Amino acid sequence: DSGVTQTPKHLITATGQRVTLRCSPRSGDLSVYWYQQSLDQGLQFLIHYYNGEERAKGNILERFSAQQFPDLHSELNLSSLELGDSALYFCASSVDRGPGETQYFGPGTRLLVL
Amino acid sequence: DQQVKQNSPSLSVQEGRISILNCDYTNSMFDYFLWYKKYPAEGPTFLISISSIKDKNEDGRFTVFLNKSAKHLSLHIVPSQPGDSAVYFCAASVGSSNTGKLIFGQGTTLQVKP
């Protein structure tokens, strides 16, 4: 158990809908990272938040947004969902914001868009 | 643009023998390299890391070698055990960056046969 929790574990929805994925980092960790793993793909970096502020963005679609709240949990919002958004979404947390820090991953949310 | 590549999608070895997983990268700005292991239905788990100032890092049965001139790293597992069967991802981050975002390879599925 990494100490990172993600809810829900599974999500099935329809095209055009909007969903929210939630992540609680390990106690004491200030950074939250979101990654997407599509079928047969490696993990793709989406966005990084540190202590409530956005630090970096990857190839995140404009339909996707995220935020980190004062209690440090984070939410990833996916809207106008398309079939291609079906994927595993992982969040990871680390103590600080810099490179070289070990990131601890949650179990992921499996999203299926029908 | 695949900056981190794992060219072998799969590897099969006999229990007790050495497993060697390879990873190549193209971005010379990468300063930190990490290996993660992933079991089905779980998030990636950190295994071992190396910074670019080293060429080798060892932790128990796991050793990572870095060849900066060739932009190549490898993970050696000795001896391999059936419980090591999983997908292995290498990942890299830029040391001078203000974010620890990870760039992942596609993964190599290791099967260790009893």
Coordinates of all heavy atoms in Angstrom, one line a residue, chain A residues 1 3 9 11 23 32-34 37 43 45 47 51-52 66 69 80-81 93 100 104 106-107 113:
Chain A
D1 N 0.9 -1.2 0.0 CA 0.0 0.0 0.0 C 0.9 1.2 0.0 O 1.7 1.5 0.9 CB -0.9 0.0 1.2 CG -1.9 1.2 1.2 OD1 -1.8 2.0 0.3 OD2 -2.7 1.3 2.2
G3 N 0.0 4.3 0.2 CA -0.5 5.5 1.0 C -1.3 6.5 0.2 O -1.9 7.4 0.7
K9 N -12.6 3.5 -8.1 CA -11.7 2.5 -8.7 C -12.0 2.2 -10.1 O -11.2 2.1 -11.0 CB -11.7 1.2 -7.9 CG -10.5 0.3 -8.0 CD -10.6 -0.9 -7.1 CE -9.4 -1.8 -7.3 NZ -8.2 -1.3 -6.7
L11 N -15.0 3.4 -13.3 CA -16.0 4.4 -13.7 C -16.4 4.1 -15.2 O -15.6 3.9 -16.0 CB -15.4 5.8 -13.7 CG -16.2 7.0 -13.6 CD1 -17.4 6.9 -12.6 CD2 -15.4 8.2 -13.2
C23 N -8.0 12.1 -5.8 CA -6.7 11.5 -5.3 C -6.4 12.2 -4.0 O -6.4 13.4 -3.8 CB -5.6 11.9 -6.3 SG -4.0 11.5 -5.7
V32 N 1.2 16.5 -6.1 CA 0.4 15.5 -6.7 C 0.6 15.6 -8.2 O 0.6 16.6 -8.8 CB -1.1 15.7 -6.4 CG1 -2.0 14.8 -7.3 CG2 -1.4 15.4 -4.9
Y33 N 0.8 14.4 -8.8 CA 1.0 14.3 -10.3 C -0.2 13.4 -10.8 O -0.6 12.4 -10.2 CB 2.3 13.6 -10.6 CG 3.5 14.3 -10.2 CD1 4.0 14.2 -8.9 CD2 4.3 15.1 -11.1 CE1 5.2 14.9 -8.5 CE2 5.4 15.8 -10.7 CZ 5.9 15.6 -9.4 OH 7.0 16.3 -9.0
W34 N -0.6 13.7 -12.0 CA -1.6 12.9 -12.7 C -1.0 12.3 -14.0 O -0.3 13.0 -14.7 CB -2.9 13.7 -13.0 CG -3.7 14.0 -11.9 CD1 -3.8 15.1 -11.1 CD2 -4.8 13.1 -11.3 NE1 -4.7 15.1 -10.1 CE2 -5.3 13.8 -10.2 CE3 -5.2 11.9 -11.6 CZ2 -6.4 13.3 -9.5 CZ3 -6.3 11.3 -10.8 CH2 -6.8 12.0 -9.8
Q37 N -2.7 6.3 -18.6 CA -2.2 5.1 -19.3 C -3.3 4.5 -20.2 O -4.3 3.9 -19.7 CB -1.7 4.0 -18.3 CG -1.1 2.8 -19.1 CD -0.6 1.7 -18.1 OE1 -1.1 1.6 -17.0 NE2 0.3 0.9 -18.6
L43 N 2.8 5.3 -19.4 CA 2.1 6.4 -18.6 C 2.5 7.8 -19.2 O 3.7 8.1 -19.4 CB 2.5 6.3 -17.2 CG 2.0 5.1 -16.4 CD1 3.0 4.0 -16.4 CD2 1.7 5.5 -15.0
F45 N 2.4 11.8 -18.7 CA 2.2 12.9 -17.7 C 1.1 13.8 -18.2 O 1.1 14.3 -19.3 CB 3.5 13.6 -17.5 CG 3.4 14.9 -16.8 CD1 3.2 14.9 -15.4 CD2 3.6 16.1 -17.4 CE1 3.1 16.0 -14.7 CE2 3.5 17.3 -16.7 CZ 3.2 17.3 -15.3
I47 N -0.4 16.5 -15.5 CA -0.3 17.7 -14.8 C 0.3 17.5 -13.4 O 0.2 16.4 -12.9 CB -1.7 18.4 -14.7 CG1 -1.6 19.9 -14.4 CG2 -2.6 17.6 -13.8 CD1 -2.9 20.7 -14.7
N51 N 1.5 22.0 -3.5 CA 0.9 22.8 -2.5 C -0.2 23.8 -3.0 O -0.2 24.9 -2.7 CB 2.0 23.6 -1.8 CG 1.7 24.0 -0.4 OD1 0.8 23.5 0.2 ND2 2.4 25.0 0.1
G52 N -1.0 23.2 -3.9 CA -2.1 24.0 -4.4 C -1.9 24.8 -5.6 O -2.8 25.3 -6.2
A66 N -7.6 20.2 -13.6 CA -7.4 19.6 -12.3 C -7.2 20.7 -11.3 O -7.1 21.9 -11.7 CB -6.1 18.8 -12.4
F69 N -6.6 21.0 -3.6 CA -7.3 21.8 -2.6 C -6.4 22.0 -1.4 O -5.3 21.4 -1.2 CB -8.5 21.0 -2.2 CG -9.5 20.9 -3.3 CD1 -9.4 19.9 -4.2 CD2 -10.6 21.8 -3.4 CE1 -10.3 19.8 -5.3 CE2 -11.5 21.7 -4.5 CZ -11.4 20.7 -5.4
S80 N -16.8 16.4 -21.6 CA -17.1 16.1 -23.0 C -16.4 14.9 -23.4 O -15.7 14.8 -24.4 CB -16.7 17.3 -23.9 OG -17.3 18.5 -23.5
L81 N -16.6 13.8 -22.6 CA -15.8 12.6 -22.8 C -16.0 12.0 -24.2 O -17.1 12.0 -24.7 CB -16.2 11.6 -21.7 CG -15.6 11.9 -20.3 CD1 -16.2 11.1 -19.2 CD2 -14.1 11.7 -20.3
S93 N 2.1 10.9 -5.6 CA 2.5 12.0 -4.8 C 4.0 11.9 -4.4 O 4.6 10.8 -4.4 CB 1.6 12.1 -3.5 OG 1.9 11.0 -2.6
G100 N 14.0 13.9 -9.2 CA 14.8 13.0 -8.4 C 14.0 12.5 -7.2 O 14.4 11.6 -6.4
Y104 N 5.1 8.2 -5.4 CA 4.3 7.0 -5.0 C 2.9 7.1 -5.6 O 2.2 8.1 -5.5 CB 4.2 7.0 -3.4 CG 5.5 6.9 -2.8 CD1 6.3 8.0 -2.5 CD2 6.1 5.7 -2.5 CE1 7.6 7.9 -1.9 CE2 7.3 5.5 -1.9 CZ 8.1 6.7 -1.6 OH 9.3 6.5 -1.0
G106 N -0.9 5.8 -6.7 CA -2.2 5.2 -6.2 C -2.5 4.0 -7.1 O -1.9 3.8 -8.1
P107 N -3.6 3.3 -6.8 CA -4.0 2.1 -7.5 C -4.7 2.4 -8.9 O -4.9 1.5 -9.7 CB -5.0 1.4 -6.6 CG -5.6 2.6 -5.8 CD -4.5 3.6 -5.6
V113 N -15.4 4.8 -21.3 CA -16.3 5.6 -22.0 C -17.0 4.8 -23.1 O -16.4 4.3 -24.0 CB -15.7 6.9 -22.6 CG1 -16.7 7.8 -23.2 CG2 -14.9 7.6 -21.5

